[in-house]
Structure formats: structure tokens, C-alpha cells
């Protein structure tokens, strides 16, 4: 949260943070342009919160999912399509090579074509084929991948009226002081804000 607040200060957007899922309500969301689920996990939203988030996106706002946000609300099909995947599991954190698929996006244009880093590399039991893949992982560069040559780890898309960015990266606290990763996040947030 500290890293995202710092990005807000440096890039002229205001960041509020809470761990209270009841803050996802129609009245409160009116003051925001994007919602970020930072490693949110499990079933955290009641029916009113789900409806509020759905309307928020349908009103043209943005959503950013970071790391375990694909392990959030796994039984809600709208959220699954919106975020773009459902987490299945991961091997132990290890170094791997990431392949930048899209060099034009705000979240990736600063990255090297092959980005080597250590993280917790997610496998997914479902992936939405309609998303725009930004980063894939080279499964030959680590142990435990289950998707072969097409293993996306970051993507974006327009969904149900809004803009959605997701990155599976960001497990370790060290990630949030890595300039390349922080810039990756900023690009995703900028996209979600529609700037």
C-alpha cells in the first residue's frame, strides 16, 4: 500500500486504502475512478458489494488486480471474466524469464524484451481468452509451470464498460521497491484510470 500511495503522490492521483470490504458500496465508490485489489483473496464481497463493483465498472471506471486478486471471488463468474483468470496454484518462488508480448502498453513499454526476476509464478485453472496479454512467462526457465508456450502473467482488457489491468507479479515485499515492477504497476493503474 505504501508503494501505491507513493505512486499517487508522485503522479498526481489520490490513493485511499482499506481492508474493509464494506467500503465497496455504491455511495462510497462514486468518489473513485479505479479500484485496486492488492492481493485480495477468498470470498470477500457480499451481494451488495458485488452489485456495487459491477455498477462501478459498468459506469466506465477501472479495476486493477495485483497478484492473488485472481484468487478472490472464485465462484463469481462476472468477476472471473472481469479479472481474466482463476488462480490454481504455484510452485515455490524462483527466478524465471518473462517475455514482454506488448511493448506499447503503459505497463510494459519500459521493460526489457526478456525480464528476469524472482517471484511466485501462478498457474491458472481458467484464463479468459478475450484479454490482451502483456507479459508471458517462459516455462523452460523455471520449474512448475502448467500452461506450456502460452502462460500469461499480466494482461488488460475493456470489460463491461470499464478498463481492467491484472498482474500476477508482486508476491514479495521486495517487488514494491523494484523500479521496473513499480513502473509496471503505475502503467496498469494509469490504464485503469483511463489516462
Amino acid at each position: 500500500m505504501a508503494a501505491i500511495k507513493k505512486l499517487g503522490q508522485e503522479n498526481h492521483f489520490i490513493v485511499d486504502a482499506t481492508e474493509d470490504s464494506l467500503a465497496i458500496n455504491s455511495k462510497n465508490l462514486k468518489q473513485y475512478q479505479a479500484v485496486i485489489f492488492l492481493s485480495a483473496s477468498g470470498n470477500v464481497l457480499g451481494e451488495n458489494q458485488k452489485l456495487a463493483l459491477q455498477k462501478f465498472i459498468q459506469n466506465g471506471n477501472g479495476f486493477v488486480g495485483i497478484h492473488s486478486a485472481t484468487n478472490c471471488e472464485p465462484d463469481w463468474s462476472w468477476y472471473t471474466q472481469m479479472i481474466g483468470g482463476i488462480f490454481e496454484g504455484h510452485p515455490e518462488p524462483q527466478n524465471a524469464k518473462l517475455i514482454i508480448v506488448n511493448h506499447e502498453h503503459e505497463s510494459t513499454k519500459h521493460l526489457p524484451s526478456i525480464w528476469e526476476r524472482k517471484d511466485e509464478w501462478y498457474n491458472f485453472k481458467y484464463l479468459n481468452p478475450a484479454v490482451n496479454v502483456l507479459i508471458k512467462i517462459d516455462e523452460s526457465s523455471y520449474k512448475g509451470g502448467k500452461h506450456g508456450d502460452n502462460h500469461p502473467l499480466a494482461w488488460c482488457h475493456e470489460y463491461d464498460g470499464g478498463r481492467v489491468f491484472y498482474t500476477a507479479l508482486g508476491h514479495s515485499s521486495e517487488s514494491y521497491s523494484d523500479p521496473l515492477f513499480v513502473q509496471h504497476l503505475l502503467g496498469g493503474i494509469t490504464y485503469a484510470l483511463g489516462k
Side-chain angles (χ1 to χ4, degrees), residues 116-183:
E116 294 188 50
R117 67 189 312 272
K118 184 178 183 179
D119 212 319
E120 191 176 68
W121 306 118
Y122 278 9
N123 292 308
F124 302 93
K125 53 185 160 188
Y126 170 77
L127 288 163
N128 181 344
V131 301
N132 302 306
V133 175
L134 303 171
I135 300 175
K136 294 194 305 188
I137 191 164
D138 177 355
E139 287 199 353
S140 70
S141 68
Y142 77 107
K143 289 183 169 60
K146 294 185 176 180
H147 298 282
D149 291 339
N150 187 24
H151 188 158
L153 284 180
W155 55 76
C156 66
H157 65 143
E158 292 186 5
Y159 180 77
D160 206 10
R163 293 165 308 282
V164 179
F165 169 82
Y166 172 75
T167 182
L169 286 59
H171 169 69
S172 67
S173 55
E174 293 81 16
S175 291
Y176 297 86
S177 55
D178 171 2
L180 290 179
F181 176 73
V182 171
Q183 186 69 31

Side-chain angles (χ1 to χ4, degrees), residues 77-116:
S77 60
W78 181 88
Y79 180 88
T80 296
Q81 295 302 317
M82 187 266 300
I83 197 161
I86 300 176
F87 166 82
E88 180 180 51
H90 59 79
E92 64 187 58
Q94 57 195 291
N95 286 312
K97 293 179 179 177
L98 302 178
I99 302 161
I100 309 310
V101 177
N102 181 334
H103 290 276
E104 306 300 316
H105 196 268
E106 286 294 316
S107 69
T108 54
K109 65 183 184 182
H110 66 289
L111 294 172
S113 295
I114 303 294
W115 184 21
E116 294 188 50

Side-chain angles (χ1 to χ4, degrees), residues 19-22 24 35 37-54 63 65-88 122 125-126 159 166:
E19 293 186 11
D20 181 2
S21 64
L22 295 178
I24 307 282
V35 168
F37 276 24
L38 174 58
S39 289
S41 192
N43 293 308
V44 298
L45 302 177
E47 290 307 313
N48 288 339
Q49 285 79 45
K50 289 180 179 180
L51 192 60
L53 181 61
Q54 210 166 348
F63 182 92
I66 302 170
H67 198 54
S68 68
T70 46
N71 195 32
C72 192
E73 299 298 336
D75 304 317
W76 182 21
S77 60
W78 181 88
Y79 180 88
T80 296
Q81 295 302 317
M82 187 266 300
I83 197 161
I86 300 176
F87 166 82
E88 180 180 51
Y122 278 9
K125 53 185 160 188
Y126 170 77
Y159 180 77
Y166 172 75

